[in-house]
Amino acid sequence: MPETPKLLFLGSAAAEGVPALFCNCRVCREAAARGGPEIRSRTSYNFGGAVQIDFGPDSLQAWQRYRNVMCEVRHIVVTHAHEDHLQPSDLLYHGLGFASVPFRDGPLTIHGTAPTRARMEREMWLRPGESLDHRMEESKLALHEFHPFEEFELPDCNAVVRTFAADHAPALDPCLLMVTMNGRTVFVGNDSGVFPETTWNALESLRGKVEIDVAVLDDTGAFLGMPESPSPEPPYESNHMSAPAVIRTFDRLASAGLLAPDCIRAVNHFSHNGGATHRELCDFWEKRGIVVGHDGLSL
Ligand SMILES: [Zn+2]
Ligand SMILES: [Zn+2]
Ligand SMILES: [Zn+2]
């Protein structure tokens, strides 16, 4: 494990990817023509090797691209059970007979809220009468269920996870995550609109106890709602964010004393429906001191 655990952006798109499935909008056409960081797979992250945040439909691609890092994964923490963040059937390939030589000893632990468990029950091909626990054991997987506003340790990698309610698909108990490993703290704010006040209360209670070194917010709607936006659509405030809500949220995190003095501020989880290419996002955000996520970015 490296001394300073890094946050690796395995993906940077919202649910449809960029260029998106079946879409021929301007953003998708320009992304396809330019390639490089304009091409986005669905958002997930690796933190410090041992911890993966979300396990979406592009996890195979992440394994193929970042194999050395992915071989260290011991825990997958699922923010919520939407399809772009959780692909339960691919977890079955962790079992013997699929992964014929296990990539390391010991189980892989999946951490998620109750709706994440429910989707795993539906989509992991349980035999008649079989329990999810049995299926998991057979696949050398373990399941740990958490709730919003919890704190739990991952002792085998010296990490602590804190969870907060997101403003997003309420039926899924979606969570924002704060993960501290070896003294470095990252905050993953997707998927969420403007944070609920209960979440602000919980965050503000951490003042003086923890400082965020890398803060990533949901910018699904790019800079909709700003004068520079190429699209006249209104800003995203609930369920997801665009620039006005992102800027306010970074300001409030800073005034709550939660950001380290040299905190890296980043945005991620972009939709082509936000109407901006990667190049346009960089033009907009970099002058405001904010890093634009892209596949393969390591912070
Ligand atoms: Zn999403
Ligand atoms: Zn498109
Ligand atoms: Zn979602």
Side-chain angles (χ1 to χ4, degrees):
M1 189 187 297
E3 276 291 295
T4 302
K6 294 284 198 175
L7 186 69
L8 172 62
F9 290 52
L10 304 174
S12 56
E16 316 93 300
V18 182
L21 287 161
F22 312 121
C23 188
N24 198 29
C25 74
R26 179 190 70 90
V27 172
C28 290
R29 288 197 312 272
E30 290 193 15
R34 276 196 209 118
E38 298 279 359
I39 308 292
R40 303 185 185 281
S41 63
R42 270 66 70 97
T43 295
S44 62
Y45 307 87
N46 179 288
F47 184 42
V51 177
Q52 181 171 337
I53 296 171
D54 286 335
F55 185 78
D58 298 324
S59 296
L60 168 64
Q61 193 185 93
W63 265 87
Q64 292 168 342
R65 286 188 178 166
Y66 317 110
R67 184 176 170 76
N68 290 347
V69 177
M70 301 303 280
C71 279
E72 293 181 34
V73 172
R74 294 170 175 276
H75 300 272
I76 298 176
V77 187
V78 180
T79 59
H80 66 300
H82 268 158
E83 287 79 359
D84 52 327
H85 300 265
L86 176 66
Q87 178 73 33
S89 57
D90 272 358
L91 288 170
L92 292 170
Y93 301 132
H94 189 258
L96 279 178
F98 293 109
S100 59
V101 178
F103 69 102
R104 58 166 183 76
D105 291 335
L108 175 65
T109 305
I110 316 301
H111 306 260
T113 56
T116 289
R117 181 187 176 97
R119 249 197 89 202
M120 290 167 70
E121 269 168 348
R122 287 198 301 276
E123 296 182 29
M124 287 180 73
W125 298 97
L126 305 188
R127 304 171 188 97
E130 188 185 20
S131 69
L132 177 64
D133 289 347
H134 182 268
R135 197 73 165 130
M136 295 286 283
E137 199 182 318
E138 197 179 76
S139 306
K140 299 183 185 301
L141 298 166
L143 181 60
H144 164 239
E145 201 173 308
F146 65 80
H147 304 272
F149 306 116
E150 243 189 72
E151 180 176 323
F152 54 90
E153 288 185 28
L154 310 175
D156 58 354
C157 53
N158 196 26
V160 176
V161 180
R162 294 181 174 91
T163 69
F164 309 87
D167 173 66
H168 193 70
L172 299 181
D173 264 354
C175 283
L176 312 167
L177 300 177
M178 189 186 284
V179 186
T180 303
M181 186 190 289
N182 296 342
R184 192 165 197 246
T185 298
V186 297
F187 179 80
V188 171
N190 64 265
D191 294 3
S192 185
V194 175
F195 301 167
E197 281 306 310
T198 48
T199 284
W200 281 115
N201 292 340
L203 284 168
E204 284 160 3
S205 76
L206 294 173
R207 185 184 197 123
K209 290 185 203 147
V210 59
E211 281 189 332
I212 299 167
D213 298 293
V214 181
V216 187
L217 294 182
D218 178 319
D219 193 30
T220 305
F223 40 102
L224 292 178
M226 300 296 282
E228 298 93 327
S229 176
S231 162
E233 296 288 316
Y236 291 6
E237 297 277 329
S238 65
N239 208 42
H240 290 293
M241 294 188 195
S242 62
V246 169
I247 292 167
R248 290 203 313 275
T249 303
F250 275 130
D251 287 349
R252 189 163 171 186
L253 286 168
S255 56
L258 291 164
L259 303 184
D262 57 350
C263 175
I264 301 170
R265 303 175 188 205
V267 285
N268 204 36
H269 193 275
F270 304 103
S271 169
H272 58 131
N273 290 321
T277 64
H278 180 69
R279 185 182 291 180
E280 290 161 352
L281 284 160
C282 290
D283 285 346
F284 178 85
W285 283 116
E286 282 174 0
K287 57 180 177 259
R288 291 169 171 84
I290 291 171
V291 177
V292 177
H294 62 82
D295 289 23
L297 176 67
S298 177
L299 294 177

